[in-house]
Amino acid sequence: MRKWLTGSIFLYFIYGLFMYWYLFVFSGSGVPAPYTGTSADPATFMSGRELLLSQEYSTIKNFLYFVTVPFEWFLFFVLLITGISRKMQEWSDATTRFFSLQSAIYFFWLSIFVTVLSFPVEWLGYRISKAYNITTQSFPAWMKDQVIDFWVNYALMTVIVIVLYWLIKRFEKRWWLYAWLLSIPFSMFLMFVQPVLIDPLYNDFYPLKNKELEEKILAMASEAEIPAEHVYEVNMSEKTNALNAYVTGIGSNSRIVLWDTTLNRLSDDEILFIMAHEMGHYVMKHIYIGIAGYLLASLVGLFFIHLLMRLMIKHFGTLLKIRSIKELTAFPLFLILIGVLTFASSPIANTVARYQEKSADMYAIEMTNNHEAAVSSFQELSKAGLSDVNPPTLVKLFRYTHPTMLERIVYLEEHGEKE
């Protein structure tokens, strides 16, 4: 056990050093020479201080992301190899004879363990965002969101754990298939209720106060055949200076939402371009394509997790203190594998997402025919979020679900020159 723990810590340290070298030493900043001085060059729309802060903040944020992703895997590994996971199962078994309650108790202790040990990292991310004036949220308000996060995730995951292990116990060889089939209605249900049940736990939503702007947005929605009767505004200025807008939910619970920071900082023309972009996703049915892609990926992923768990328990079960896949003790191994597979597949998922985002951008520019507003909206988004317009390759591959700001501004400019 000591050898494995020492080895894993050493590998984690080497990985952290590599990411530090890659982000802080190897990767350069700025834009390629052909775009220097163009509207895609942050030096043309950011002050010297904003440019410096964006480079610092983006690099620190990316480094924190890459070193914290495997940190949770490491925590789950420690739970297994030290036997803490088995102790948690023994506590839950001794508390009640009902399996559903045993699962809830086990997952509660697992959640507490991970939350407490991850808290310093979460707090560091909050402090960095606060220091760069991205986050405006007070510490008590931030803690309130953390507590809400904990209980929402605990409630949802407890249901998943109970159903998952009931399936594993009942259908040991085909559990992955039945779990996938049940995940379809469950995912659709969550997407349907999120706008009306989950999102309001974190923020206050209300009809857009600017009725003239709402009429313009709804007119665009009508043109795009989107069944929307209201545009919602959400009070995000208490939490962040970043900008955002989105269309959420499915069916009758679909909502068009604007952050108040976006309303306060952007002009009507810029907001209309952003709204047209979001409508483009709806028109091109990206949400349903995304659901189909997620379901396909989850089917393949669950099958591989089934195979890998059986293989790892067979060869390393003694080391990990796992006797059978049917034990709750094995759940951290399930979480490690799903985390690793999700991270490994993220470049593919992000590539598809970036293609969809570019398509939505082109839809928006065709609908609004306002290149100046489109470019300036992306510039303002970069300034507000201190975004790196031209991030390093690994950052783009693993983190960017949208094209880089450099790419977005360049192809909008090229589109304008063709007209």
Side-chain angles (χ1 to χ4, degrees):
M1 181 183 71
R2 287 175 184 160
K3 289 181 180 179
W4 277 88
L5 279 175
T6 303
S8 60
I9 292 171
F10 177 74
L11 287 176
Y12 185 54
F13 179 73
I14 294 299
Y15 166 78
L17 282 180
F18 169 77
M19 292 312 307
Y20 181 88
W21 169 81
Y22 178 78
L23 293 171
F24 287 90
V25 180
F26 176 76
S27 300
S29 59
V31 298
Y35 304 110
T36 302
T38 67
S39 57
D41 184 355
T44 64
F45 60 86
M46 288 186 182
S47 67
R49 176 172 173 75
E50 287 174 331
L51 191 58
L52 177 63
L53 290 177
S54 68
Q55 292 169 353
E56 288 180 355
Y57 178 68
S58 296
T59 304
I60 294 171
K61 182 178 64 174
N62 290 328
F63 177 71
L64 192 64
Y65 167 80
F66 279 108
V67 297
T68 54
V69 165
F71 179 68
E72 193 170 84
W73 310 341
F74 175 72
L75 291 182
F76 290 137
F77 176 69
V78 171
L79 276 172
L80 291 170
I81 201 170
T82 58
I84 295 176
S85 180
R86 176 155 293 282
K87 284 293 183 184
M88 289 178 179
Q89 179 174 331
E90 291 173 357
W91 296 337
S92 63
D93 290 347
T95 305
T96 177
R97 62 188 182 87
F98 297 105
F99 177 72
S100 58
L101 292 177
Q102 291 173 356
S103 301
I105 293 169
Y106 171 85
F107 188 67
F108 175 77
W109 286 114
L110 178 66
S111 301
I112 289 291
F113 179 89
V114 174
T115 299
V116 169
L117 292 183
S118 299
F119 181 79
V121 177
E122 298 292 332
W123 178 82
L124 179 61
Y126 163 74
R127 291 301 305 166
I128 291 171
S129 187
K130 184 85 170 177
Y132 283 87
N133 203 33
I134 300 299
T135 293
T136 59
Q137 198 172 21
S138 66
F139 180 74
W142 178 77
M143 277 300 302
K144 178 185 175 183
D145 280 353
Q146 297 301 304
V147 172
I148 293 173
D149 261 345
F150 176 87
W151 288 111
V152 169
N153 290 332
Y154 174 73
L156 294 176
M157 284 300 298
T158 298
V159 173
I160 292 173
V161 171
I162 292 172
V163 174
L164 180 68
Y165 272 89
W166 180 82
L167 291 173
I168 292 175
K169 288 175 177 290
R170 187 78 180 271
F171 312 102
E172 186 174 356
K173 294 183 179 180
R174 292 287 184 269
W175 67 265
W176 55 273
L177 178 59
Y178 300 124
W180 176 76
L181 290 171
L182 287 176
S183 74
I184 298 174
F186 184 70
S187 299
M188 299 297 287
F189 172 75
L190 286 182
M191 292 183 69
F192 183 77
V193 302
Q194 180 177 335
V196 294
L197 292 182
I198 299 177
D199 290 348
L201 294 174
Y202 297 89
N203 302 293
D204 296 325
F205 293 80
Y206 39 85
L208 185 61
K209 297 173 185 176
N210 187 338
K211 295 305 177 184
E212 183 179 346
L213 177 60
E214 183 180 44
E215 287 180 9
K216 293 178 182 178
I217 294 172
L218 291 177
M220 291 173 56
S222 177
E223 182 182 344
E225 298 182 354
I226 297 175
E229 297 180 358
H230 298 286
V231 177
Y232 289 87
E233 181 178 342
V234 56
N235 182 15
M236 289 298 294
S237 55
E238 294 181 351
K239 296 184 177 182
T240 182
N241 282 319
L243 313 181
N244 197 15
Y246 57 90
V247 177
T248 186
I250 56 174
S252 60
N253 275 2
S254 296
R255 278 187 174 183
I256 300 174
V257 180
L258 277 164
W259 286 12
D260 63 340
T261 52
T262 305
L263 292 164
N264 296 336
R265 186 154 178 168
L266 298 187
S267 68
D268 283 5
D269 285 344
E270 290 168 338
I271 291 172
L272 289 174
F273 171 78
I274 291 174
M275 290 280 69
H277 168 95
E278 298 302 330
M279 292 175 190
H281 287 305
Y282 182 93
V283 170
M284 291 181 278
K285 297 186 170 38
H286 287 165
I287 186 171
Y288 298 105
I289 294 172
I291 291 172
Y294 161 77
L295 291 175
L296 177 61
S298 61
L299 175 62
V300 175
L302 285 170
F303 175 67
F304 274 106
I305 287 172
H306 167 70
L307 295 180
L308 290 171
M309 284 188 72
R310 292 174 65 89
L311 184 66
M312 294 187 72
I313 291 172
K314 179 180 179 181
H315 293 284
F316 303 105
T318 302
L319 175 70
L320 300 176
K321 313 295 189 296
I322 304 172
R323 290 191 288 265
S324 167
I325 193 175
K326 297 179 180 180
E327 295 181 310
L328 286 170
T329 303
F331 189 59
L333 178 60
F334 175 88
L335 294 175
I336 291 173
L337 292 175
I338 200 169
V340 171
L341 290 176
T342 300
F343 182 73
S345 62
S346 59
I348 298 174
N350 290 344
T351 299
V352 175
R354 288 195 297 270
Y355 173 80
Q356 291 182 334
E357 294 297 335
K358 181 176 180 179
S359 300
D361 281 346
M362 301 315 295
Y363 175 89
I365 200 62
E366 292 289 345
M367 173 175 271
T368 62
N369 195 30
N370 192 336
H371 292 82
E372 183 179 346
V375 170
S376 61
S377 67
F378 287 145
Q379 292 174 339
E380 287 297 323
L381 284 168
S382 298
K383 291 171 65 176
L386 294 180
S387 303
D388 187 350
V389 301
N390 187 35
T393 302
L394 285 182
V395 174
K396 177 183 174 181
L397 286 175
F398 284 93
R399 298 209 66 192
Y400 274 53
T401 56
H402 291 62
T404 66
M405 286 301 181
L406 173 68
E407 294 169 334
R408 301 179 88 169
I409 293 175
V410 166
Y411 63 62
L412 285 176
E413 291 282 25
E414 291 174 348
H415 180 273
E417 290 172 0
K418 292 177 182 177
E419 292 192 344

